[in-house]
Amino acid sequence: MRAYLYDNLDTDCREPHEQIPSVPVSVEELEASGVLYWRLKDENFADQIDKICEERNYKNRDQITVSKEGLGELFDAKIKTFFAEHLHEDEEIRAILEGTGYFDIRDKKDRWVRIKVEAGDLIVLPAGIYHRFTLDTNNYLKAMRLFKEDPVWTPLNRPCDENPYRKAYLEAIEAN
Ligand SMILES: CSCCC(=O)/C(O)=C/O
Ligand SMILES: [Fe+2]
């Protein structure tokens, strides 16, 4: 995983969009925005996932392959939905199994922070954080999606600042 400030250029979102010079963002800075990160080791990947699931009460899981082949005729629509700035009323928890991609999150100053993920990365975006997702130019990512109860995937597009989960998120990170 690498994270850095996004350059905000209006070009292909699958390009890195890293500012020159780069402005790296640390795991601690991500945590200040409520984003959690684990690096899972190949040799005991399953055990580590199970441990995190037990500790954080994630009871269910499934898998998604974000690629033309994996999503078929839904591909274009899904890619567009994923990259529209949105929030969820539940955590977004993804363990990357194969491939690469980018999660962009809004930090405390409302700047885009780009998080490059690859196989072995587990990321948790808190409920209420504005974010988006895109593949990179490899056009392939397979992820395990973890959730506490039934999955709530509904993306609520910005602006939804009056949403109670948005307000609770802002209060929580303010207290950080
Ligand atoms: C890497 S899983 C696909 C992206 C997704 O599920 C989502 O909600 C993006 O914000
Ligand atoms: Fe999302």
Side-chain angles (χ1 to χ4, degrees), residues 64 66 82 86 88 92 94 96 103 125 131-133 141 143 145 153:
I64 182 171
V66 188
F82 290 156
H86 65 275
H88 305 284
E92 179 165 321
R94 303 288 185 263
I96 313 305
F103 285 93
L125 307 185
H131 69 280
R132 62 190 182 188
F133 171 81
L141 178 137
R145 304 188 290 193
W153 305 133

